[in-house]
Amino acid sequence: MSAKLQFPAIFWCVTGILASHAQECGRPPLMENRIVGGMDAADGAWPWQVDVQTVRDGHICGGSIITENWVLSAAHCFPSSIDMSSYIIYAGRYQLNGFNQHQSSHRVSQVVIPDGYDEPHNGKDLALVQLSSPVTWSEYVRPVCLPASGTLFQSDMLCSVTGWGNIRDDVPLSGIGTLQEVQVPIISQSSCQEMYQTNPTEQVDILYDMICAGYQDGGKDSCQGDSGGPLVCQMVNGTWVQAGVVSFGLGCAHPNQPGVYTRLTSYSSFISNTIPEIRLYGRADQNWCGRMAVLVSCLSTLLILLQR
């Protein structure tokens, strides 16, 4: 048999390597380099954003796509009192009340929440949501990267929050409801705790598994209805990595009350144990080794065929 007839095998091997990059996380193909104080996002700019709805209440929360079968959100968006069959997850959605040509809808098959969760102020406000049908990748539907436990999000690092939540306290997003985005800096745990201690009416403890973002003067923040949505930060190589999940705050965009998010680096093992196939950002050596193994295998096959 001539080697020429075997080259399709090499073609598929090489395209297999290329395909492994096709849905690389944290790389929105359409991004150009309300939430309170935010603005309309561009369609496709945040392709991991999902809309979490229930049949009875409509929009309740946000979330982010992390694999074709799993979405990340907040535990308080999925109280045990609500039947899982009533949830609908919309991927590729841009407007709450408009036409979304890139949208797909998915039912929920299960929700995995850390043991011991009871309410957001006590931490563990995280939900891994398994879809009953996989999303289809496109320019408008892509996964976000999740951080390995050692990934650092430094204080003052400017990150972005997205969602369809209220634009002020008790003021819902109006009109066609275009996805909102806002930039907020990371706040150190100690500084965040100091800010919340200035509130004489309610004591808030910033726990180890929480991360804060916002401004001491207020003005820009996530709000009710943004819960479960992503706080994402662009790393030095351009990749967007999710640092937190919108969890809680006291009001929206008030001075000395920045948004509090579930810190994802505290849940790297929980996420990996629940979704073994996921690859966390910061473990690039593992991904690189895996791709190199495939490449070596392809080259070996090519050499054998050329020798025939």
Side-chain angles (χ1 to χ4, degrees):
M1 183 179 291
S2 68
K4 181 183 294 185
L5 295 178
Q6 294 296 320
F7 275 111
I10 297 298
F11 170 79
W12 288 114
C13 189
V14 173
T15 54
I17 296 176
L18 296 177
S20 71
H21 293 277
Q23 307 309 330
E24 186 177 6
C25 66
R27 296 282 184 165
L30 299 178
M31 173 179 278
E32 301 175 0
N33 260 352
R34 199 135 6 204
I35 284 194
V36 181
M39 61 182 183
D40 289 356
D43 193 7
W46 310 103
W48 42 78
Q49 177 78 44
V50 300
D51 173 23
V52 179
Q53 297 201 5
T54 64
V55 175
R56 185 187 69 179
D57 299 318
H59 171 78
I60 58 167
C61 283
S64 53
I65 300 168
I66 54 175
T67 75
E68 63 181 356
N69 293 298
W70 289 88
V71 160
L72 177 64
S73 189
H76 75 263
C77 296
F78 296 87
S80 57
S81 59
I82 299 181
D83 181 5
M84 290 298 109
S85 65
S86 70
Y87 284 96
I88 306 173
I89 307 290
Y90 291 96
R93 170 162 278 197
Y94 180 52
Q95 297 171 337
L96 277 184
N97 306 310
F99 173 68
N100 296 281
Q101 60 178 328
H102 309 293
Q103 173 182 288
S104 61
S105 62
H106 307 264
R107 294 288 183 167
V108 172
S109 61
Q110 70 165 325
V111 177
V112 182
I113 291 171
D115 289 339
Y117 168 78
D118 57 2
E119 63 98 15
H121 285 229
N122 292 330
K124 300 184 178 181
D125 192 13
L126 185 77
L128 295 173
V129 184
Q130 187 173 26
L131 306 178
S132 59
S133 60
V135 300
T136 299
W137 301 129
S138 72
E139 290 185 329
Y140 298 86
V141 179
R142 294 286 175 98
V144 69
C145 292
L146 297 187
S149 58
T151 306
L152 296 178
F153 300 98
Q154 301 283 3
S155 297
D156 297 325
M157 185 178 188
L158 201 59
C159 302
S160 294
V161 191
T162 49
W164 290 279
N166 291 354
I167 56 173
R168 289 188 301 279
D169 286 332
D170 302 318
V171 180
L173 186 61
S174 61
I176 57 177
T178 300
L179 180 66
Q180 299 291 291
E181 63 181 26
V182 68
Q183 286 190 318
V184 286
I186 298 293
I187 299 174
S188 71
Q189 186 171 4
S190 59
S191 295
C192 188
Q193 184 67 76
E194 289 175 4
M195 291 181 198
Y196 271 101
Q197 284 178 342
T198 64
N199 185 343
T201 61
E202 185 170 353
Q203 179 63 39
V204 174
D205 292 323
I206 305 302
L207 306 179
Y208 77 95
D209 67 340
M210 299 174 182
I211 186 171
C212 301
Y215 294 91
Q216 185 168 11
D217 294 337
K220 294 184 177 182
D221 196 6
S222 52
C223 201
Q224 283 74 33
D226 293 320
S227 291
L231 169 70
V232 294
C233 307
Q234 193 169 29
M235 312 307 277
V236 291
N237 66 352
T239 299
W240 288 91
V241 178
Q242 186 169 344
V245 173
V246 178
S247 182
F248 72 91
L250 297 182
C252 304
H254 295 179
N256 290 311
Q257 295 175 11
V260 183
Y261 302 78
T262 303
R263 183 188 295 271
L264 290 182
T265 52
S266 298
Y267 292 95
S268 300
S269 295
F270 172 76
I271 293 168
S272 294
N273 290 338
T274 306
I275 313 171
E277 68 270 22
I278 202 164
R279 290 178 174 178
L280 303 179
Y281 180 89
R283 295 178 181 169
D285 55 324
Q286 296 177 2
N287 298 348
W288 181 84
C289 289
R291 288 196 283 268
M292 284 302 296
V294 176
L295 179 58
V296 169
S297 176
C298 288
L299 292 176
S300 299
T301 305
L302 176 60
L303 289 174
I304 292 172
L305 292 173
L306 291 176
Q307 290 172 356
R308 290 183 180 178

